Amino acid sequence: MIEILKSSLIGNMIGIVSLIVGIISLIITIKTMRSAKRIERDIKEAEAKAVDKDRFNKYKEGCIKRLELKRKVAAEEGVITYPLCNDVLASLNDLRGYGRIISEKDIDFINEKRRELMEISKELNGQKKDNWEDSQKFDVIVSDILNILRKGEYAL
């Protein structure tokens, strides 16, 4: 009888140890799966950001050229036109779409410059305006945006 008790006790102990090992294995498996899902999500985000950054760098070069041309035209003629303001506003709106790439501080700065340019555009109301002060404001706005675009932190 004692032998039966000893063998059932040993069997129960082995069962309990097996159950504990099984539970620990389950916990480790669940944590591993969560980590794998997190890593997979991070990889997808990194890929999306890399694609966005590539698109932004391609867009950035063209945008710099367009803004430099607009700035040059405004400086040479000394006249700010409604279409000129709207072209620059369109570029600023496009830049706002790259919020994953451009820092939040720079996006806020772009929004501020966009509001200033909208005020100038509203004053023009579809006409040309030969105003030295508005020409200077326009030049400062475009220069500030160009400085943001030329930052090294946005390079590949």
Side-chain angles (χ1 to χ4, degrees), residues 12 21 26 28-29 35 42 85 89 92 98 115 117 141 155:
N12 286 340
V21 168
L26 180 64
I28 291 172
T29 301
S35 295
D42 290 348
C85 284
L89 281 171
L92 295 181
Y98 291 102
R115 283 189 289 279
L117 191 57
I141 290 169

Side-chain angles (χ1 to χ4, degrees), residues 53-69:
K53 199 165 195 173
D54 184 51
R55 275 191 17 231
F56 173 71
N57 280 309
K58 289 176 183 173
Y59 171 78
K60 178 178 78 167
E61 295 306 316
C63 186
I64 288 172
K65 289 177 185 175
R66 282 191 305 278
L67 289 174
E68 284 176 340
L69 181 64

